[in-house]
Amino acid sequence: ELGIRRQGEQKVPPRSISAREHEFFVLEGNSPTVLQAWQEFLVRSQQSAKAVGFSSDKSQGIAAALGEMADNAVLHSESSIGVLVGYQAIDGAITFSVVDVGVGVLESLRSNAAYAELATHTDAIRKALQEGVTRFGDGGGLGFYSVFKSLAAMWGTLRFRSGAGRVTKDGNDLNSDLGSNDSVPHRVGFQVAITSRVADARPHYPPICPL
């Protein structure tokens, strides 16, 4: 159901761009985000957002954000087993998740001498969410500040988890620049779960991946 098999050949992804209620995709191999099957997955996520009430522009923005976060995971995670991407679109809300089991944000950033002073997973997540921060030097990085702001403005809840740290940002209370921190059981890699809504309906639409 996740799109991969433990034995034998991989299942062929559906060749369709029709809206779906939920779907998973595994990015693996060399340059997986240029594959036709991945591009079709992004189009289906956009169509799914439109099907539950988002405008064309917002649906396109949601799909673009999903694509950028997946690109980031492929580039920075250093995971040998691929990146899991999923979305669920129901009743005026869409949630998407990008999950890897790579080196994690803290180790990734500390490989750059400019961020060697980072001490906690939470500090590393917050640093990574800033514009232009990357283990490769200035520029690049997540680079999603404006994207995150846009998603938060859509009655959004954004969760970022790596190691023993979690940062949650909520656009509904106008604190999407600040958010809250939690200490959580250690988990390898970096996990992102974002829910955007057509209207304020937070009590009714928990994330597909609560992290």
Side-chain angles (χ1 to χ4, degrees), residues 13-59:
R15 301 305 297 261
S16 167
I17 58 172
S18 300
R20 302 183 68 178
E21 184 175 296
H22 56 81
E23 184 176 8
F24 287 94
F25 194 99
V26 177
L27 289 165
E28 57 185 348
N30 296 324
S31 303
T33 57
V34 303
L35 298 176
Q36 178 68 22
W38 169 246
Q39 299 304 318
E40 291 171 355
F41 175 87
L42 291 179
V43 173
R44 288 194 297 274
S45 72
Q46 179 177 340
Q47 294 295 94
S48 299
K50 289 175 63 177
V52 296
F54 290 92
S55 68
S56 295
D57 288 346
K58 289 184 177 180
S59 299

Side-chain angles (χ1 to χ4, degrees), residues 44-118:
R44 288 194 297 274
S45 72
Q46 179 177 340
Q47 294 295 94
S48 299
K50 289 175 63 177
V52 296
F54 290 92
S55 68
S56 295
D57 288 346
K58 289 184 177 180
S59 299
Q60 183 176 3
I62 289 169
L66 173 57
E68 287 198 48
M69 274 175 270
D71 285 341
N72 180 82
V74 170
L75 179 63
H76 294 284
S77 70
E78 300 183 34
S79 172
S80 61
I81 62 171
V83 174
L84 178 65
V85 185
Y87 68 85
Q88 180 182 40
I90 53 172
D91 299 334
I94 185 167
T95 292
F96 60 83
S97 300
V98 179
V99 177
D100 69 68
V101 291
V103 298
V105 178
L106 180 60
E107 182 177 340
S108 178
L109 286 184
R110 290 183 64 179
S111 68
N112 182 332
Y115 309 119
E117 78 286 355
L118 290 170

Side-chain angles (χ1 to χ4, degrees), residues 144-172:
F144 296 151
Y145 181 79
S146 59
V147 173
F148 290 152
K149 290 282 288 183
S150 176
L151 293 170
M154 288 186 267
W155 304 103
T157 303
L158 295 71
R159 290 180 174 85
F160 309 92
R161 177 171 177 170
S162 184
R166 180 173 62 189
V167 173
T168 301
K169 296 178 179 289
D170 190 340
N172 292 314

Side-chain angles (χ1 to χ4, degrees), residues 105-106 109 118-130 160-169 178-184 190:
V105 178
L106 180 60
L109 286 184
L118 290 170
T120 70
H121 296 284
T122 298
D123 289 343
I125 295 171
R126 286 197 169 279
K127 177 63 71 173
L129 296 178
Q130 296 177 12
F160 309 92
R161 177 171 177 170
S162 184
R166 180 173 62 189
V167 173
T168 301
K169 296 178 179 289
L178 302 175
S180 60
N181 304 333
D182 295 293
S183 294
V184 292
F190 185 38

